[in-house]
Amino acid sequence: MKYVDEFRDREKAAVLMTEIDALAARIPRPSGLPLQIMEVCGGHTHSIFRYGLEGMLPKSIELVHGPGCPVCVLPMGRVDDCVAIAERPEVIFTTFGDAMRVPGSRRSLLQAKAEGADVRMVYSPMDALGIARNNPGREVVFFGLGFETTMPSTALTILQARAEGLNNFSVFCNHITIVPTIKAILDSADLHLDGFLGPGHVSMVIGTRPYEFIASFYKKPMVVAGFEPLDILQSLWMVLRQIEEGRAEIENQYARIVPRDGNAQALEAVGKVYELREFFEWRGLGSIDHSGVKIREAYAQHDAEKRFALPNVTIADPKSCQCGEVLKGVIKPWQCKVFGTACTPETPLGALMVSSEGACAAYYQYGGVRRRLEVL
Amino acid sequence: MCLGIPGRIVKIDDHAKKLATVDVSGIKRQVNIACIVNEDHPVNSCVGDWVLVHVGFAMSRIDEKEAALTLQVLLELGEAQAEIEAMRRTGKQ
Ligand code: SF4
């Protein structure tokens, strides 16, 4: 329990660990396989590795790392679309830093920048709007990325662009939505999950109601969790307690941030600007119905997909990559053939090695390599 | 991108556009506060609020103690530094 020393409240962590051990021992596992709990959110994956929570848990519990890293699930074809837009001479392409190094089939945005494309890292879509304001002669495109956590910010920026008449500002919308994705995972034949840690900040926007089908229809427990190690342990304990008592409910451990109905203002902006796509292509998970949003016709002026002809082709991942299996939780990062050898944070082959929320980068950074060596 | 960082609203910059300045660990940065204002909590009453800031947008009001603890954990996680650095680079518009 080396990492417990770093916890804010060591005693509480120790008590929770003891309770988790005891609960796990009491829950029957007729198949003999560990209980599989999926953390949906990449932020949780990061905290779990950062604090070594996985190593502290009894062997009867396995954390399955879900697809909740928006950079990681972008298919390569989408990165190529970004590069194609960025390479146009009239364009200033703006993006969050996380997306800069994600490999495309030809090059990443960072490589495109090195070769002369005007690619700029921004902290906020508002900064991209500022660039549009200051460069009326250029087309400024913002790479809209993320689940419901960042969706309202892009929507509000588009509304602001409209209000100011900044017609040289558009968004390449790659926002994705969590609920159909969880449903796809529940319907997947590869996985037999026993429960979920629900995403904290997505839920801050959408509330907890949209998850209710997970409990009522699929009869699986979910606990919406905060990001600190104690939050995660407590949420895990709550999931296990539900399993032991034979309950399947949506509980909210992160009520200090997550209201049951979400954030009305944020949802209003989202509803105004976006509509669901029929389907969206995910890296590794394939096409998932209604899992992405696009910009409504009324805001076509600010939709980069409409304004620029995009190659928009599907490109298979390199053969050596097993990002898809890792994303679905079927294999662990260190079981990928190229993990830590051909694929490292310095020379990433897959997006999961780029983003700090990606399971591979997190494993690599915090003991993943050590873990793999133990296994070899 | 997804974790967010706590900051305190110190000044309203633009009522109509709902823009305010937040102080995040000593760094001042303009953010959009549209998601935390409503009839019961108008723009004017936001000064002094502690908020969770995601990519330049205040997404949730939090209490002061919670803000301090979250910030501390983010610093430990090594997340806060990257956020603050990104804020510093883009600065006040
Ligand atoms: S190690 Fe690299 S190639 Fe393998 S799954 Fe992870 S990111 Fe993908």
Side-chain angles (χ1 to χ4, degrees):
Chain A
M1 282 219 231
K2 152 170 175 287
Y3 291 92
V4 178
D5 296 346
E6 297 179 21
F7 282 14
R8 190 205 286 172
D9 187 340
R10 254 183 269 179
E11 273 168 38
K12 205 165 165 202
V15 171
L16 271 169
M17 281 310 302
T18 314
E19 298 243 354
I20 287 174
D21 277 344
L23 258 175
R26 285 203 300 272
I27 297 174
R29 289 177 292 117
S31 63
L33 295 171
L35 292 167
Q36 292 195 313
I37 316 289
M38 174 178 273
E39 89 274 4
V40 177
C41 169
H44 286 151
T45 306
H46 187 88
S47 292
I48 285 166
F49 288 119
R50 169 66 183 79
Y51 284 92
L53 297 185
E54 236 188 1
M56 293 163 41
L57 296 174
K59 292 230 165 4
S60 52
I61 300 175
E62 184 187 340
L63 293 175
V64 180
H65 316 301
C69 158
V71 180
C72 304
V73 296
L74 259 194
M76 224 173 218
R78 284 266 158 182
V79 180
D80 287 355
D81 287 346
C82 284
V83 171
I85 299 174
E87 284 175 339
R88 299 172 72 108
E90 76 276 24
V91 165
I92 301 175
F93 194 89
T94 57
T95 174
F96 294 136
D98 306 44
M100 286 290 271
R101 293 172 59 237
V102 180
S105 70
R106 289 184 303 138
R107 50 178 76 88
S108 65
L109 283 166
L110 190 66
Q111 286 158 335
K113 183 181 168 72
E115 286 166 30
D118 195 344
V119 180
R120 303 186 193 177
M121 232 158 77
V122 289
Y123 160 71
S124 164
M126 288 219 303
D127 299 341
L129 196 65
I131 294 173
R133 213 177 277 130
N134 297 334
N135 294 272
R138 302 281 299 276
E139 284 292 331
V140 176
V141 181
F142 175 71
F143 186 16
L145 193 65
F147 286 96
E148 283 88 341
T149 317
T150 52
M151 221 182 257
S153 55
T154 325
L156 286 163
T157 307
I158 289 175
L159 292 172
Q160 184 62 38
R162 165 61 55 90
E164 288 183 46
L166 288 170
N167 287 336
N168 64 330
F169 174 81
S170 61
V171 170
F172 181 38
C173 178
N174 284 272
H175 285 295
I176 43 183
T177 160
I178 199 78
V179 166
T181 313
I182 296 179
K183 190 173 174 308
I185 286 169
L186 281 163
D187 287 333
S188 152
D190 295 338
L191 284 173
H192 305 280
L193 299 169
D194 297 288
F196 290 93
L197 298 181
H201 290 151
V202 164
S203 310
M204 159 186 85
V205 173
I206 68 173
T208 60
R209 280 179 206 271
Y211 305 122
E212 276 162 14
F213 75 99
I214 299 170
S216 59
F217 186 75
Y218 290 92
K219 309 278 182 250
K220 304 283 183 193
M222 174 186 260
V223 176
V224 172
F227 292 93
E228 296 174 22
L230 277 180
D231 289 331
I232 294 174
L233 287 182
Q234 193 190 350
S235 303
L236 195 57
W237 173 75
M238 289 166 75
V239 171
L240 293 174
R241 209 180 43 173
Q242 285 200 43
I243 297 175
E244 191 197 27
E245 294 169 7
R247 287 183 293 127
E249 289 165 23
I250 309 304
E251 293 181 309
N252 186 1
Q253 183 271 340
Y254 201 32
R256 61 188 196 267
I257 300 285
V258 174
R260 178 147 191 259
D261 292 318
N263 183 314
Q265 297 88 310
L267 289 172
E268 192 194 322
V270 165
K272 233 185 233 171
V273 173
Y274 307 115
E275 59 189 348
L276 283 179
R277 291 178 195 266
E278 268 174 55
F279 59 87
F280 194 77
E281 187 75 26
W282 293 59
R283 188 188 288 249
L285 301 174
S287 172
I288 303 178
D289 286 357
H290 303 131
S291 62
V293 296
K294 61 181 176 190
I295 296 168
R296 286 184 190 275
E297 195 54 43
Y299 298 94
Q301 179 66 38
H302 303 292
D303 186 352
E305 243 165 293
K306 299 233 172 71
R307 309 228 8 222
F308 305 98
L310 298 177
N312 210 331
V313 285
T314 310
I315 289 149
D317 282 336
K319 280 226 163 43
S320 52
C321 287
Q322 293 182 277
C323 301
E325 279 127 297
V326 174
L327 275 171
K328 274 199 284 190
V330 179
I331 66 167
K332 297 283 175 191
W334 48 267
Q335 290 171 316
C336 172
K337 290 188 289 287
V338 291
F339 176 89
T341 51
C343 188
T344 66
E346 288 72 41
T347 55
L349 288 179
L352 284 83
M353 197 52 106
V354 178
S355 163
S356 67
E357 291 170 18
C360 295
Y363 249 88
Y364 191 89
Q365 206 180 345
Y366 302 115
V369 173
R370 193 180 60 223
R371 175 87 168 246
R372 180 163 167 270
L373 291 177
E374 275 168 23
V375 172
L376 285 179
Chain B
M1 183 162 93
C2 301
L3 281 179
I5 191 161
R8 187 164 192 234
I9 297 177
V10 292
K11 165 166 105 51
I12 304 299
D13 298 332
D14 187 325
H15 276 78
K17 291 187 189 168
K18 301 189 176 117
L19 299 174
T21 300
V22 283
D23 181 319
V24 174
S25 242
I27 301 294
K28 298 256 193 337
R29 151 92 214 187
Q30 190 175 75
V31 302
N32 183 307
I33 56 170
C35 290
I36 60 152
V37 298
N38 56 31
E39 278 158 25
D40 300 332
H41 193 72
V43 171
N44 275 332
S45 59
C46 290
V47 173
D49 282 358
W50 283 90
V51 290
L52 203 55
V53 180
H54 287 257
V55 300
F57 289 71
M59 294 301 297
S60 178
R61 276 157 60 204
I62 48 181
D63 71 45
E64 182 172 355
K65 193 167 146 249
E66 169 66 23
L69 293 171
T70 302
L71 196 59
Q72 184 199 330
V73 171
L74 288 176
L75 283 165
E76 283 171 19
L77 272 171
E79 298 294 337
Q81 291 82 345
E83 288 280 316
I84 291 170
E85 187 42 46
M87 285 184 173
R88 193 200 307 271
R89 218 179 21 242
T90 50
K92 270 199 75 170
Q93 284 187 350

